[in-house]
């Protein structure tokens, strides 16, 4: 029994230490929140990412907009969320953000709830068009402006959405292919971090369309097992001596490819997709050639602004065509500037 | 002279329920005390009190003339009271010698390299089993591959090796066939002859009578009495065991129905 | 006749020497009942497969690659195996690896730039360990106090950890990656520990090849001696003349081997190969004459299997077929063996479908068994499979498969009674022929040198075993001999510890990295201890007739083989260094993984705690009633798992310097799978730490091997699943066969 008490005491002490550390964070967090730009200020006021963005009601906006995506809590969607928040602050209206984490049913339910709540504009992502079709049609039937973002470039018209804000993966892959052509690669490994993700496959297919050399597209292991990714890429490099370029279709894979190249004793031309601080450091250092940036901040920011303009000013953007947010490229030329923005969470 | 282990009017209550009352008997080295009773007679409560799992509420328990009360199984074991449970407390997938020494492994070597003295353990296990008259071919074989009687023998050998002075056997023959039961009864006699005090719990008077020196019969938590072997015959024992008067009444009833 | 006897007798009937086996399980039978044996066989098979189909797989670089994957898996799989043996699961183990990594980064990274507590790593690293231990303690205590299945309890912890990782990472950094470990205070110190790597290119040793092949050969010879000591009946007075013959044979064999390895020509290979073989065989024969009782004449009552000749013919045909395939198939074609798109594909498909149809009809009529139509389906699948592999791969698989099948069939023929020894000798001759064919015909150096050596060794082993069987009598009864030489062991341990300590101090004083110093210290200490023990054992072999010497010899042989392999993997020669740009690295994870495997095996087999782990997993109530502290044992196991998760997390964190919040999630099932492949039962109470480590290596070999072989990764999980299934089935089969013998 005495032993048990000792353990309890230890645990208690540990909790206290943890609590003390937590206090430290709050203390040091405060000056940090006053420093950055006004865009980030509302974000740091809330202790955790909230879904409803409260804004000073004196600005007199009586509209409420909803952004309902299939997004998860990964690097990518957290930027979209920040963008939605920033746009809400800019127009001074309430915007509700919801990410269903790839659950189409949840997403559809949330859309229906938004209709019932009398939303003034709804933006949705169409990762699973069939799953949210009826809900999306109900939005249009209720006379609420509908926008699609991120995925859904093929289906937004059929659903009656005003326009689509996003990037097509194939076009992004095409862009990467042209970059590799310019850099003089002859055989590119298109490394994927998920085995059955249509978007990642499309990026690789897009690469193959424009790249003049040979493309090998392989799944190299999940982001959850970074060591396996590195070793698998190294194995493929050693198995095929002709590979001289690697395109990682995520932000982590280019870094793994860099380590794998060193392991296999090969000098590689490395490209990536999306951004992270480490990746930009390597681009700045010249170890990674470029990364394709889909500029997802726009995919969160623009729909809110466009919905607001349609609701208050009856503007409709796009002219029946999608609005492409990418591909933008980050390479040695602009890495330093983008770096600062990434650490703010807006790129 | 004080008896080795003496129970006077031991009782146990669970709330309002009387689990055991008025048990009086003695247990001495070189003797077998049999505790008989049907299902639910209080046999397992009796074992658990002696093994230190439960504590008695009334009466006195004297060991070598000194009143004792066991608060945990470890305490009872420390005083030399070893219990061989019906499920034998064996791990079927582990080898004979590992089971034999489980919980009290002999160790050798200095601290960071402190390990089980495997060779010694195997040798002792084999020797102890041989003392019980059993030649285990290979002490590495899993206990699960032994027959029921052999397993009982391992358990009894284990208890006697670890300095048991009182050996409590909980229904050792209930799951066995006739031949295997005979083997186990022989082990009981051997343990007795080695100077152990044996408490043999059973519901079978035919098994109890040949080996027992003293008999306690329990019925629905009540002790029916405490007899030395000279005081009653096997027929008496069976009669008492089967419920005495109740059985007679039953016989009358059956006879009446038959006529 | 066998049918009317009892089951026990009929089982014994099928084995050649019934009485002996009942009384005494030989060294091989004892080995086969071990839980990890299936995994071991599987690992060898997988290794052979990828070694045949891909050139870089068998090199030090390839080994480092798959060991690295195996390490992060095995560091966890070993303690998870222990926990499973203890009867529990820990579903939070995977996310715990990531959680400790995230915590360290968050606690240490600089507040101003990224958000985080900004603690020094000297504080952050121990704090994360305390956190991990607290979670382990919590898991264990909750499981014990509530008696809920650990599956449910740790599932809760699993979700809590995932949520907390994500929530806190985003709270502090506004992103899902915690970055900037390398900018923290105390980074240098801790990186020296968890981020250390052994860079092979920096360790040149030009005499390495002599050393390692010597150790390998000596190891193999000692291993054979050891098994002979265990298996054959000893003479009371050794025959000195036999020793002399043996020494002469060994000298001739050694000279032959040295000459053989010094050149690479057809005629000289044959000549020196034969000299080597003859020398070894004479040495073995002399040894047998000297030490073992002569065999009685084989009794006439033994039945002779009439099919033995057929087996022999089939085996020879397979080996000739292998040689033909290797000779006929284009050895320069590097392309894919693509039957899918051309006419051959249609032909195979047509044959396959036709065969399936015919066999299905026959099966429906009851003429053949129901399984037969599957043969057609397999034929129809050939084009699909052909698409996945290169011509060279197919050549290697066909050649290797046929050669192995041939040798197996031959050895089955040799196992039959009667002419066993003669057929074994003939088999050995066939294998030796195969070896020389490869030596003279193969284009690649890999096949010519390594496969040749391996086959020659196998042939010699077969021949040696046949000769021994002819000359010496088997043991009938034997007590399980303890491994002996307490004095030698103690002196060895003391000297080894001293040598290790001195080495550690010297290396550290030289300013070498911590990893390098520790490895060198352990290696030097180990080698000193091992050498003392080996010398003492060899001395005993020659001058005493101690029963225990056989097992000591086996141990010495295995140790020597492993030292040889380690020397080859860890050092580079100048020649190799000039030819490669790749830098082969062994991270500290690999070292820790191997240490864990050995430590886990020792704890399980030889310590009191290990005994308790088996006990609480096998029968918790029983172990409790004999005084095993079941709750404490289980809680310790949970804390062991979480402490290992902490080590794994540190290795990952210091390798990447930034950690994504989902690192490690989902790996818990891999750990469990790997442990099961290694022979652990899901129900607890049975299993092996070494097995789990081997399972992890299998997993690593498969994931990396598919890359090395440039197979399409779409099929990765199919291959992985199939190979894992095979490993488990082999495991089951081998164990049931071995148990049957008893």
């Amino acid at each position: 029994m005495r032993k048990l008490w000792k353990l309890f005491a230890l645990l208690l002490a540990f909790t206290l230490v943890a609590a003390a550390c937590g206090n430290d964070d709050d203390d040091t967090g405060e000056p940090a929140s006053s420093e950055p730009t006004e865009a980030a200020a509302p974000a740091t006021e809330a202790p955790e990412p909230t879904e409803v963005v409260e804004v000073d009601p004196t600005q007199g906006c009586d509209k409420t907009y909803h952004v309902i995506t299939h997004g998860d809590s990964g690097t990518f969607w957290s930027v979209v969320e920040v963008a939605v928040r920033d746009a809400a602050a800019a127009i001074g209206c309430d915007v509700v953000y919801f990410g269903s984490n790839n659950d189409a049913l949840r997403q559809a339910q949330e859309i229906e709830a938004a209709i019932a709540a009398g939303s003034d504009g709804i933006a949705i992502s169409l990762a699973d068009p069939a799953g949210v079709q009826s809900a999306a049609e109900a939005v249009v039937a209720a006379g609420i402006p509908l926008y699609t973002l991120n995925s859904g470039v093929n289906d937004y018209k059929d659903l009656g959405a005003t326009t689509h804000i996003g990037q097509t993966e194939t076009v992004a892959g095409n862009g990467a292919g042209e970059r590799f052509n310019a850099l003089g690669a002859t055989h590119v490994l298109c490394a994927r971090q998920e085995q059955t993700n249509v978007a990642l496959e499309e990026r690789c297919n897009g690469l193959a369309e424009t790249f003049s050399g040979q493309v090998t597209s392989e799944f190299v292991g999940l982001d959850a097992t970074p060591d396996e990714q590195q070793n698998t890429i190294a194995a493929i490099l050693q198995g095929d001596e002709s590979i001289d370029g690697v395109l990682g279709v995520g932000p982590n894979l280019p870094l793994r490819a860099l380590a794998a190249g060193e392991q296999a004793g090969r000098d590689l031309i490395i490209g990536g997709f999306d951004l992270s601080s480490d990746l930009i450091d390597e681009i700045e250092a010249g170890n990674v050639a470029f990364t394709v940036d889909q500029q997802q901040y726009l995919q969160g920011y623009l729909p809110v602004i466009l919905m607001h303009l349609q609701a208050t000013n009856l503007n409709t953007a796009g002219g029946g065509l999608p609005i492409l947010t990418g591909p933008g490229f980050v390479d040695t030329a602009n890495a330093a500037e983008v770096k600062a923005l990434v650490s703010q969470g807006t790129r | 002279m004080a008896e080795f282990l003496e129970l006077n009017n031991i009782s146990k209550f669970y709330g309002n329920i009387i689990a055991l009352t008025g048990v009086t008997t003695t247990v001495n080295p070189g003797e077998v005390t049999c505790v008989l009773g049907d299902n639910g007679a209080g046999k397992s409560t009796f074992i658990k009190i002696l093994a230190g799992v439960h504590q008695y509420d009334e009466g006195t328990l004297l060991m070598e003339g000194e009143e004792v009360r066991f608060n945990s199984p470890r305490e009872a074991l420390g005083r030399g009271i070893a219990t061989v449970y019906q499920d034998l407390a064996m791990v079927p997938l582990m080898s004979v010698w590992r089971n034999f020494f489980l919980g009290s492994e002999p160790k050798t070597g200095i601290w960071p390299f402190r390990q089980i003295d495997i060779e010694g353990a195997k040798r002792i296990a084999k020797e102890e089993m041989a003392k019980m008259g059993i030649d285990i071919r290979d002490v590495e074989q899993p206990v699960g591959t032994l027959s029921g009687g052999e397993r009982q023998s391992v358990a009894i050998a284990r208890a006697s090796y670890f300095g048991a002075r009182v050996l409590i056997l909980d229904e050792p023959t209930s799951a066995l066939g006739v031949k295997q039961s005979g083997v186990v009864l022989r082990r009981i006699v051997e343990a007795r002859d080695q100077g152990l005090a044996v408490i043999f719990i059973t519901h079978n008077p035919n098994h109890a009578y040949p080996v027992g020196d003293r008999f306690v019969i329990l019925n629905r938590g009540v002790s029916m009495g405490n007899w030395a072997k000279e005081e009653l015959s096997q027929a008496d024992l069976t009669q008492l065991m089967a419920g005495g008067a109740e059985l007679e009444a039953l016989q009358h009833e059956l006879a009446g129905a038959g006529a | 006749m066998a049918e009317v006897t009892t089951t026990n007798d009929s089982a014994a009937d099928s084995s050649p020497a019934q009485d002996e086996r009942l009384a005494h399980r030989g060294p091989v039978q004892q080995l086969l009942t071990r839980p990890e044996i299936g995994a071991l066989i599987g690992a060898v098979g997988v290794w052979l497969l990828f070694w045949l189909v891909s050139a870089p797989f068998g090199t030090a670089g390839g080994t480092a690659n798959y060991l690295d994957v195996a390490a992060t898996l095995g560091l966890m799989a070993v303690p998870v195996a222990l926990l499973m043996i203890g009867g529990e699961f820990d579903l939070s183990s995977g996310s715990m690896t990531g959680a400790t990594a995230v915590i360290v980064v968050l606690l240490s990274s600089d507040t101003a730039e990224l958000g985080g507590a900004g603690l020094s790593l000297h504080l952050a690293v121990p704090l994360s360990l305390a956190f991990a231990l607290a979670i382990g303690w919590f898991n264990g205590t909750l499981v014990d106090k509530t008696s809920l299945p650990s599956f449910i309890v740790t599932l809760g912890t699993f979700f809590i950890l995932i949520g907390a990782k994500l929530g806190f990472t985003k709270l502090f950094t506004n992103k899902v990656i915690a970055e900037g470990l390398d900018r923290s205070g105390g980074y240098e110190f801790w990186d020296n520990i968890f981020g250390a790597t052994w860079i092979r290119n920096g360790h040149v040793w030009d005499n390495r090849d002599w050393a390692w092949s010597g150790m390998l050969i000596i190891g193999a010879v000692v291993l054979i001696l050891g098994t002979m000591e265990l298996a054959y009946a000893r003479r009371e007075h050794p025959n000195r003349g036999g020793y002399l013959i043996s020494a002469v044979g060994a000298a001739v064999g050694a000279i032959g081997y040295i000459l053989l390895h010094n050149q690479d020509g057809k005629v000289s290979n044959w000549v020196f190969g034969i000299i080597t073989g003859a020398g070894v065989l004479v040495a073995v024969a002399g040894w047998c004459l000297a030490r073992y009782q002569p065999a009685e004449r084989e009794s006439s009552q033994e039945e002779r299997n009439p099919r033995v000749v057929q087996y022999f013919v089939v085996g020879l045909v397979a080996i000739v077929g292998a040689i033909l395939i290797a000779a006929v198939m284009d050895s320069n074609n590097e392309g894919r063996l693509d039957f899918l798109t051309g006419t051959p594909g249609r032909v195979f498909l047509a044959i396959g479908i036709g065969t399936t149809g015919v066999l299905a009809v026959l099966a429906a009529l009851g003429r053949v068994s129901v399984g037969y139509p599957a043969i057609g389906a397999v034929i129809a699948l050939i084009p699909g499979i052909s698409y996945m592999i290169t011509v060279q791969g197919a050549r290697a698989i066909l050649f290797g498969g046929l050669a192995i099948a041939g040798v197996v069939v031959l050895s089955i023929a040799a196992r039959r009674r009667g002419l066993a020894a003669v057929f074994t000798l003939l088999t050995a001759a066939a294998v030796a022929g195969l070896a020389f064919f490869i030596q003279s015909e193969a284009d690649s150096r890999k096949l010519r040198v390594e496969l040749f050596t391996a086959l020659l060794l196998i042939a010699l082993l077969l021949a040696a075993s046949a000769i021994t069987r002819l000359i010496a009598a088997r043991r009938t009864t034997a007590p399980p001999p303890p491994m002996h030489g307490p004095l030698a062991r103690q002196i060895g341990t003391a000297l080894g510890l001293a040598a290790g300590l001195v080495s550690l101090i010297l290396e550290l004083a030289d300013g070498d990295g911590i990893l390098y110093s520790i490895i060198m210290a352990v290696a030097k200490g180990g080698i000193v201890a091992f050498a003392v023990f080996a010398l003492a054992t060899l001395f005993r072999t020659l001058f005493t007739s101690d029963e225990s010497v056989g097992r000591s010899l086996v141990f010495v042989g295995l140790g020597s083989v492993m030292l040889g392999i380690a020397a080859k993997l860890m050092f580079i020669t100048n020649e190799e260094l000039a030819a490669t740009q790749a830098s082969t690295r062994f991270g500290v994870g690999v070292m820790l993984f191997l240490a864990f495997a050995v430590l886990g095996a020792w704890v399980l087999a030889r310590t009191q705690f290990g005994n308790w782990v088996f006990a609480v997993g096998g029968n918790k109530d029983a172990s409790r009633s004999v005084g095993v502290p079941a709750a404490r044992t289980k809680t310790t196991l949970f804390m062991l798992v979480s402490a290992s998760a902490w080590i794994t997390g540190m290795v990952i964190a210091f390798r990447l310097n930034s950690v994504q919040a989902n690192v490690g999630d989902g790996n818990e099932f891999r750990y469990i799978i790997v442990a099961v492949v290694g022979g652990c039962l899901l129900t607890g109470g049975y299993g092996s730490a070494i097995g789990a480590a081997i399972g992890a290596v299998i997993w690593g070999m498969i994931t990396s091997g598919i890359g090395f072989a440039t197979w399409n990764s779409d099929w990765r999980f199919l291959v992985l699943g199939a190979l894992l299934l095979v490993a488990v089935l082999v495991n089951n089969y081998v164990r049931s066969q071995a148990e049957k013998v008893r």
Side-chain angles (χ1 to χ4, degrees), chain C residues 141 158 186 243 376 432:
Chain C
T141 311
F158 165 73
Y243 280 137

Side-chain angles (χ1 to χ4, degrees), chain A residues 49-72:
Chain A
T50 47
E51 287 171 2
V52 182
V53 181
E54 297 293 343
V55 168
D56 186 5
T58 53
Q59 282 182 308
C61 175
D62 56 348
K63 309 279 187 199
T64 305
Y65 305 108
H66 290 77
V67 179
I68 300 162
T69 71
H70 70 280
D72 52 20

Side-chain angles (χ1 to χ4, degrees), chain A residues 3-4 7-8 11 14 17 21-22 24-25 28-29 32 35 43 46-49 72-78 81-82 85 192 195 201 217-228 230-240 251-252 255-256 262-266 275-279 281 339 342-345, chain C residues 56 59 61-62 64-66 68-70 72-73 107 111-114 116-119 127 130-131 134 137 141 145 166 170-177 179-180 183 581-585 632 639 652 655-658 660 662-667 670 699 703-717:
Chain A
K3 265 190 187 155
L4 204 65
L7 278 171
F8 264 125
L11 195 71
F14 181 69
V17 170
C21 296
D24 279 353
D25 299 340
T28 46
E35 271 171 21
E48 52 189 51
D72 52 20
S73 38
T75 334
F76 184 90
W77 286 101
S78 65
E81 207 180 317
V82 169
R85 230 184 277 158
R192 287 176 281 127
Q195 192 148 27
E201 294 268 8
S217 171
E218 300 286 0
F219 164 62
V220 296
L222 298 169
D223 273 346
T225 53
D227 52 313
E228 190 182 311
Q230 178 190 328
N231 285 306
T232 308
I233 295 174
I236 293 171
L237 291 176
Q238 281 169 284
D240 192 336
N252 296 326
L255 302 170
R256 304 292 102 78
E262 197 187 331
Q263 195 180 329
R266 300 267 281 282
L275 292 173
S276 76
S277 293
D278 285 351
L279 179 55
D281 285 346
K339 189 176 171 183
V342 168
S343 29
Q344 283 173 24
Chain C
T59 63
N65 190 310
Y66 66 73
D68 198 47
V69 178
T72 34
L73 200 59
L107 284 179
T111 315
E113 198 178 340
L114 294 157
L119 292 177
L127 267 181
F131 166 80
W137 179 81
T141 311
K145 293 273 182 271
L166 192 62
K170 282 188 78 173
L171 181 62
F172 285 139
T173 68
N174 218 2
K175 287 179 302 188
V176 293
I177 303 181
E179 289 168 306
R183 289 183 288 259
Q581 289 110 44
S583 66
T584 301
R585 288 155 187 269
R632 206 178 76 204
M639 289 174 76
I652 292 174
R655 163 188 283 200
L656 303 178
N657 293 331
S658 60
Q660 187 162 323
N662 66 351
V663 162
D665 294 354
N667 277 3
R670 291 188 180 188
W699 185 291
T703 49
S704 286
I706 290 172
F708 278 118
T710 62
W711 288 352
N712 189 333
S713 63
D714 295 345
W715 303 92
R716 167 185 164 125
F717 284 105

Side-chain angles (χ1 to χ4, degrees), chain C residues 201-261:
Chain C
N201 291 15
H203 296 91
V204 180
W205 182 14
D206 262 338
N207 291 329
R208 181 204 68 187
D209 284 346
W210 279 102
W212 84 263
S213 58
M215 280 189 262
L216 219 59
I217 293 164
I218 292 171
V221 170
V222 173
L223 204 57
I224 296 167
L225 288 185
T227 34
M228 291 196 324
E229 288 289 324
L230 288 173
Y232 292 100
R234 205 82 58 79
R235 271 177 195 267
E236 267 182 38
H237 302 289
N239 177 344
R240 305 278 167 198
Y243 280 137
L244 193 69
I245 297 175
S246 179
V248 171
V252 170
I255 292 168
Y257 191 80
I258 290 167
L259 292 175
L260 186 67
H261 267 242

Side-chain angles (χ1 to χ4, degrees), chain B:
Chain B
M1 192 197 95
E3 306 280 353
F4 180 67
L5 194 64
E6 192 177 342
L7 291 82
N8 287 319
N9 276 318
I10 293 284
S11 303
K12 171 76 190 169
F13 312 107
Y14 297 113
N16 293 332
I17 300 161
I18 302 164
L20 200 64
T21 179
V23 180
T24 300
T25 188
T26 56
V27 184
N28 278 311
E31 279 184 22
V32 179
T33 302
C34 298
V35 178
L36 291 110
D38 222 328
N39 295 337
K43 286 178 299 183
S44 51
T45 308
F46 179 81
I47 297 171
K48 281 175 179 165
I49 287 172
L50 284 181
V53 179
H54 294 325
Q55 284 75 49
Y56 54 90
D57 295 321
E58 277 176 12
T60 51
L61 176 59
L62 300 175
M63 192 165 188
E64 294 175 310
E66 169 199 353
E67 179 159 4
V68 287
R69 178 177 281 271
F70 305 127
N71 291 313
S72 74
R74 270 227 164 275
E75 246 176 73
L77 265 173
R79 295 299 294 262
I81 298 183
T83 312
V84 176
Y85 288 100
Q86 203 169 354
D87 56 12
L88 293 172
M90 292 237 179
V91 186
L93 282 170
M94 288 172 80
S95 62
V96 171
W97 72 266
R98 279 179 190 271
N99 266 295
F100 193 94
F101 283 99
L102 186 57
S104 322
E105 293 83 353
K107 277 174 284 184
T108 169
I110 42 170
W111 171 67
F113 309 107
R114 200 153 173 75
Q115 55 183 30
I116 305 177
D117 176 15
I118 292 180
E119 270 100 55
K122 282 185 191 168
R123 198 189 59 240
I124 294 169
K126 210 171 160 69
E127 284 169 8
E128 290 299 315
M129 295 299 289
K131 271 191 211 161
M132 295 250 74
I134 291 187
D135 182 25
I136 291 279
R137 270 198 308 275
D138 180 1
V139 283
E140 277 285 5
Q141 81 191 87
V143 158
T145 62
L146 299 181
S147 71
E150 283 174 323
R151 266 186 259 186
Q152 280 289 350
S153 309
V154 175
I156 295 171
R158 173 169 74 184
S160 77
Y161 175 74
F162 283 108
R165 295 190 291 170
V166 181
L167 187 61
I168 306 175
L169 301 171
D170 178 15
E171 299 267 11
T173 56
S174 67
L176 301 180
V178 178
K179 203 171 159 192
Q180 294 276 345
S181 297
V183 172
V184 170
L185 293 179
R186 205 168 304 139
R187 301 288 158 259
I188 293 175
V189 172
E190 266 158 28
R192 182 195 68 193
D193 293 346
Q194 284 179 16
L196 267 72
V198 181
I199 301 175
F200 175 25
I201 318 271
T202 181
H203 61 257
N204 190 335
N206 298 328
H207 287 166
Y209 196 78
V211 296
D213 298 302
R214 180 163 287 283
F215 303 92
V216 177
I217 296 175
L218 300 177
N219 188 12
R220 295 180 193 168
V222 183
S223 171
M224 310 276 290
N226 170 30
W227 296 272
K229 189 164 189 170
E230 315 76 83
E231 293 169 19
L232 78 176
S233 68
Q234 180 156 6
D236 295 340
L237 188 64
T238 315
Q239 174 83 355
L240 282 163
M241 173 61 205
E246 286 172 39
L247 189 69
E248 264 171 41
L250 186 67
Q251 270 170 356
H252 276 292
E253 226 172 88
L254 289 171

